[in-house]
Amino acid sequence: MASLSTPSGARSPHGARSAPTVGFDLDMTLIDSRPGIHAAFSALAAETGVLIDADLAIQRLGPPLELELANWFPEDRIAEMVDRYREIYPTFAITPTTEMPGAREAVAAVRKLGGRALVVTAKYTPNAELHLAHLGIEPDEIIGNLWAEAKGEALREHGASVYVGDHTGDVRGARAAGALSVAVPTGPCDAAELRAAGADVILPDLLAFPEWLRSYATAEGEAAGEADAADAADAATADFA
């Protein structure tokens, strides 16, 4: 649905395209954290005596923790509850969490092209690191505590040309970075919502990502070759003139 000639890797000094740097969201993109988050919210509810509908909370994963806790706690307790949730999270949430289908293969596909794989997530960085270490998924960089457009800052800083996510906030982050937005409707947002938010590419899940990435990289390489040939022709004409 998108032109494959949109945001690409930078050129090297010799004119060739560099290998792609690809960013991935975490929750419901690379990992299915619903069982773990449900357990952590249930534990927090039991500890505080405050009703938290964990079934509802796990249906809207993506935005920062503060926004979810605001549904259950008064404003003056949110900072305290954020800290407490993050403290108990490793005990309850890491083991039940599984990888999403195709997650490992998606990261490997980036590496196979010689690229770098980043995880850019709204999740607290130490807990994101625990999840990925537990599952044996090893990105080159893990950057947490960023949501929506703020993700764009990290993506730009690390030179990401593609960002993969499941939420409209991820689409906004990619667009803020000038990166290609690749969306998977494996979280709370369906394909229509992701498309309406401006996703450039929609895949059914990460199982489809390696083939898409190979096609994207091939098209980018061909476009780069054509541009270099045109540049060379222009230079030759200029020299002749």
Side-chain angles (χ1 to χ4, degrees):
M1 75 181 272
S3 167
L4 295 182
S5 62
T6 44
S8 60
R11 290 179 184 243
S12 74
H14 301 290
R17 295 281 171 171
S18 61
T21 295
V22 178
F24 293 91
D25 175 50
L26 184 63
D27 290 304
M28 303 312 300
T29 299
L30 289 178
I31 66 172
D32 185 349
S33 52
R34 290 173 297 185
I37 290 175
H38 191 288
F41 274 129
S42 297
L44 186 65
E47 180 180 301
T48 60
V50 172
L51 173 65
I52 300 175
D53 187 341
D55 291 332
L56 178 59
I58 63 170
Q59 293 177 29
R60 49 194 185 199
L61 300 182
L65 175 62
E66 291 86 345
L67 296 183
E68 182 58 47
L69 290 174
N71 294 304
W72 315 109
F73 293 92
E75 185 176 357
D76 62 357
R77 294 198 67 193
I78 291 175
E80 172 196 356
M81 290 301 103
V82 166
D83 289 344
R84 183 57 184 150
Y85 177 90
R86 287 173 172 171
E87 288 172 357
I88 67 174
Y89 190 93
T91 300
F92 294 97
I94 303 302
T95 301
T97 293
T98 59
E99 65 187 76
M100 295 293 285
R104 193 178 303 273
E105 294 83 355
V107 172
V110 178
R111 295 269 179 72
K112 188 173 182 179
L113 291 175
R116 299 180 70 245
L118 316 173
V119 170
V120 183
T121 173
K123 191 177 291 297
Y124 182 51
T125 304
N127 288 338
E129 291 171 344
L130 287 174
H131 274 303
L132 292 166
H134 177 73
L135 294 170
I137 298 174
E138 300 179 350
D140 296 282
E141 194 88 28
I142 302 171
I143 305 134
N145 304 309
L146 297 175
W147 164 242
E149 286 81 2
K151 291 185 174 186
E153 300 170 13
L155 294 169
R156 282 196 305 273
E157 179 182 346
H158 290 274
S161 57
V162 176
Y163 185 58
V164 186
D166 67 283
H167 199 283
T168 56
D170 299 324
V171 177
R172 288 157 53 194
R175 294 177 70 84
L180 195 75
S181 171
V182 176
V184 286
T186 51
C189 302
D190 63 23
E193 290 176 273
L194 295 165
R195 186 176 294 109
D200 296 296
V201 176
I202 297 178
L203 303 175
D205 51 40
L206 287 182
L207 291 170
F209 181 78
E211 182 178 353
W212 174 85
L213 183 64
R214 286 192 295 272
S215 297
Y216 168 76
T218 298
E220 288 291 287
E222 291 174 351
E226 291 171 0
D228 290 342
D231 290 345
D234 289 344
T237 301
D239 289 344
F240 181 78

